[in-house]
Amino acid sequence: MKEIMMFGKLPDTVEVLGVKYPIRTDFRIGIQLEELLQNEIMDEREKYEKMLLLYYPQIPNDLNEAIKKILWFYQCGGEKEELKEEKKERYKRYRSKEPAYSFVQDARYIYSAFKEQYGIDLGEEEMHWWKFLILFEGLPEQAEIKQRMMYRKADLNSIKDKEERKRVKEIKKRV
């Protein structure tokens, strides 16, 4: 993906059984998909239907392949092993069941970080999902959202000092 960002046009179509289909690429669609995928109440069939409606102005006939292409796009076009590592890095679920961030819960911190760091007003900007993710991941560690993510993922067992562990535990509760 990084090579495409530097040297080529970001994809706005996917190929399903040899036919190119336009897809909606705006970052808001990616955020909606992420929230949809994390929804534990909705059954898989309902999720798939909503995914198809979110991404395709014209839904392909092969629904299984169409869903695979949505996930490929959502995961920024990486290969399977690369995607597993990227997902681990993004959510760091190996230490905690909770994700490091939520686009819904953390919306104000993400918005303000983009405005401060890049001068981008996410409320008005149309931005490709891949570009959004690269900018999100590239936010400086000092940004409030990155600080929140760090504390959410902090491993209390690795903190030896009792007072520091207590302080970090309190911060984790707040964020």
Side-chain angles (χ1 to χ4, degrees), residues 52-162:
L52 291 165
L53 292 171
L54 272 175
Y55 275 90
Y56 292 102
Q58 177 189 353
I59 298 174
N61 291 332
D62 187 327
L63 300 182
N64 288 332
E65 189 64 22
I67 288 169
K68 285 179 188 176
K69 294 298 180 170
I70 289 172
L71 295 174
W72 171 87
F73 180 81
Y74 167 74
Q75 297 167 329
C76 301
E79 298 302 317
K80 280 190 173 184
E81 284 306 310
E82 186 181 319
L83 294 176
K84 285 179 187 175
E85 289 306 312
E86 190 173 308
K87 188 172 182 180
K88 277 184 188 177
E89 181 62 31
R90 191 175 299 153
Y91 294 104
K92 299 198 182 214
R93 290 186 187 272
Y94 49 83
R95 283 196 189 140
S96 170
K97 291 181 180 163
E98 295 300 315
Y101 64 89
S102 160
F103 285 125
V104 173
Q105 181 182 341
D106 296 321
R108 72 178 76 164
Y109 305 106
I110 295 168
Y111 176 89
S112 64
F114 270 73
K115 186 74 169 157
E116 183 178 326
Q117 182 66 28
Y118 306 121
I120 295 173
D121 184 334
L122 291 176
E124 297 175 7
E125 184 79 18
E126 287 187 30
M127 186 184 314
H128 194 282
W129 172 243
W130 293 14
K131 181 179 177 183
F132 172 80
L133 281 183
I134 286 172
L135 293 174
F136 180 64
E137 290 170 4
L139 287 169
E141 294 303 316
Q142 302 83 356
E144 178 70 21
I145 182 61
K146 289 288 187 121
Q147 290 294 305
R148 292 172 153 275
M149 290 167 65
M150 179 194 68
Y151 280 114
R152 285 180 183 142
K153 299 320 268 170
D155 181 6
L156 295 175
N157 294 326
S158 70
I159 302 172
K160 303 298 180 212
D161 182 276
K162 283 185 178 184

Side-chain angles (χ1 to χ4, degrees), residues 29-46:
I29 302 295
I31 289 171
Q32 289 176 52
L33 179 60
E34 188 155 312
E35 294 301 314
L36 181 64
L37 292 173
Q38 293 175 2
N39 185 321
E40 295 177 5
I41 298 169
M42 196 178 298
D43 67 37
E44 294 299 308
R45 182 181 173 97
E46 191 177 356

Side-chain angles (χ1 to χ4, degrees), residues 5-44:
M5 281 291 297
M6 292 292 291
F7 304 113
K9 184 177 181 279
L10 294 173
D12 58 5
T13 63
V14 293
E15 194 171 312
V16 178
L17 298 178
V19 177
K20 288 192 176 199
Y21 288 88
I23 56 169
R24 295 181 185 98
T25 63
D26 189 66
F27 74 97
R28 291 168 190 86
I29 302 295
I31 289 171
Q32 289 176 52
L33 179 60
E34 188 155 312
E35 294 301 314
L36 181 64
L37 292 173
Q38 293 175 2
N39 185 321
E40 295 177 5
I41 298 169
M42 196 178 298
D43 67 37
E44 294 299 308

